Amino acid sequence: MAKQLDYHTIREIFLRFQAADPEPEGELEHVNAYTLLVAVALSAQATDAGVNKATRSLFKVADTPQKMVDLGLEGLIDHIKTIGLFRQKAKNVMKMSQILVDDYGGEVPNSRAALQGLPGVGRKTANVVLNMWWKQPAQAVDTHIFRVGNRTGIAPGRTVDVVERAIEDHIPADFQLHAHHWMILHGRYHCKARKPLCRTCIIRDLCPFEEKTL
């Protein structure tokens, strides 16, 4: 775990991320707040590509909570059975959809507390929805962000919560909205777990990672 970088170094890192990709976007396909919520909930311990493959047909028939309830548990399972832990995820999506219909008029709430009160929705899922749909500077720390934060010293921490707080405390405010997407994409395509592409990394000269690959 690298030491916390200073403000000016972090700012330079994010200026480079911004120059390379001014408007980074998440890779989960969705058409509204509800389908984003479902896609993120399904993505736990699964790849975005695998989730997208399953939800393309699902969201054509169930893009609202009521339509999902009408589809039924077995109908949902038929669409997502290629995704890991699909049975439990399907049960959570059905319960979540019913609650949205009964308590929220079929709308997705825009508060973290309300989102986390839904079955199968943890802090990370809530933060993704708040950030991507409601444009709040919420930081959803996944394995990529955890790795990048610790390797680079942008946001070091031994737990997800500590890394999330470090992002909020140390990344300049004008980069907060897109910070987690820049870090996810950097971790997914460059700062990989096993074979990081340090040689072509745009922040190589600023990164203290001791095991840089040639």
Side-chain angles (χ1 to χ4, degrees):
M1 182 169 67
K3 292 183 179 180
Q4 177 69 57
L5 292 178
D6 64 84
Y7 173 86
H8 296 291
T9 302
I10 291 175
R11 184 165 191 82
E12 176 59 28
I13 285 173
F14 281 90
L15 282 170
R16 294 185 190 183
F17 286 161
Q18 184 181 58
D21 188 2
E23 295 289 335
E25 296 181 351
E27 297 182 328
L28 286 172
E29 297 173 6
H30 59 282
V31 297
N32 54 30
Y34 173 70
T35 54
L36 174 60
L37 176 61
V38 172
V40 179
L42 293 176
S43 71
Q45 296 178 302
T47 65
D48 287 0
V51 172
N52 289 339
K53 186 175 180 179
T55 58
R56 284 182 192 127
S57 62
L58 171 64
F59 293 155
K60 289 179 181 178
V61 297
D63 60 355
T64 69
Q66 186 61 62
K67 289 179 182 178
M68 190 69 76
V69 171
D70 294 341
L71 179 63
L73 181 62
E74 292 305 316
L76 172 56
I77 286 175
D78 283 342
H79 284 278
I80 68 168
K81 57 189 175 183
T82 57
I83 299 174
L85 307 175
F86 67 90
R87 291 191 183 280
Q88 185 57 50
K89 290 178 180 178
K91 291 177 182 178
N92 285 336
V93 168
M94 296 308 297
K95 291 177 183 176
M96 172 180 74
S97 301
Q98 190 64 63
I99 291 172
L100 290 175
V101 170
D102 293 343
D103 298 345
Y104 295 96
E107 299 295 326
V108 175
N110 64 350
S111 84
R112 182 182 287 112
L115 286 167
Q116 286 189 247
L118 298 171
V121 179
R123 185 177 180 88
K124 185 178 79 171
T125 296
N127 281 350
V128 172
V129 174
L130 291 173
N131 181 276
M132 289 182 64
W133 192 259
W134 300 109
K135 305 303 179 185
Q136 296 182 22
Q139 307 302 332
V141 179
D142 69 352
T143 55
H144 297 301
I145 290 182
F146 189 82
R147 180 173 66 256
V148 170
N150 278 289
R151 274 185 181 171
T152 63
I154 291 172
R158 297 193 182 279
T159 69
V160 168
D161 290 343
V162 172
V163 171
E164 181 182 331
R165 287 197 297 272
I167 291 172
E168 293 172 345
D169 290 344
H170 297 286
I171 293 176
D174 48 331
F175 297 121
Q176 285 281 331
L177 179 60
H178 293 315
H180 95 275
H181 276 134
W182 279 316
M183 292 176 74
I184 286 174
L185 295 172
H186 189 65
R188 183 173 291 162
Y189 297 111
H190 300 283
C191 195
K192 300 178 182 181
R194 294 187 178 180
K195 294 183 179 180
L197 306 180
C198 298
R199 187 173 183 177
T200 57
C201 177
I202 62 174
I203 63 168
R204 177 182 172 83
D205 58 314
L206 303 174
C207 175
F209 182 46
E210 294 180 355
E211 300 172 28
K212 287 179 180 175
T213 57
L214 299 176

